[in-house]
Amino acid sequence: MPVCVLPQPPRPCEDYWWEWKHCRGLRHAFHHYYAHGELPACGRWKEDYEACRAWERDRTDAAKVPHPPPPAAGGGSGLKAPVWRLRKSPPPEWYLPLDQDKPN
């Protein structure tokens, strides 16, 4: 009977641990909230780390990392609408000087 060797996870387990710790950090959470309007979902990194450790321990198919890591840019499943309405053309008085000297 031949022995089946399962392929290892795509990354070392320490990478998943580091990504989870980084994702939970205050600086990353603040940046992600500023850029995307919501806190990052870090549970996926923890699940991948636990699956990787289980694979190292048991070497079973069920313990393989279930999905590839998310992209570094943090892109979600869909595009979000822009915060501001985009203009089709400049305002009609765009060339006039600003009213910086006038009080509000």
Side-chain angles (χ1 to χ4, degrees):
M1 176 181 254
V3 176
C4 179
V5 177
L6 297 173
Q8 64 184 18
R11 300 168 74 176
C13 295
E14 289 76 28
D15 287 354
Y16 296 110
W17 177 257
W18 185 89
E19 291 286 354
W20 179 65
K21 295 297 278 185
H22 171 73
C23 184
R24 291 185 58 219
L26 181 62
R27 183 175 180 173
H28 175 72
F30 179 76
H31 173 75
H32 194 276
Y33 187 79
Y34 178 79
H36 303 286
E38 60 189 23
L39 291 174
C42 301
R44 184 173 171 182
W45 290 112
K46 180 78 170 177
E47 292 169 8
D48 288 350
Y49 172 73
E50 291 169 354
C52 184
R53 286 294 179 203
W55 183 85
E56 284 183 346
R57 194 174 47 251
D58 303 329
R59 306 272 182 184
T60 61
D61 280 334
K64 285 187 198 174
V65 176
H67 39 70
S77 60
L79 298 174
K80 293 188 177 189
V83 176
W84 298 278
R85 264 189 319 207
L86 301 177
R87 292 189 216 161
K88 304 270 188 242
S89 63
E93 302 88 21
W94 67 271
Y95 57 88
L96 295 176
L98 297 175
D99 297 333
Q100 294 176 351
D101 299 333
K102 293 182 182 179
N104 291 339

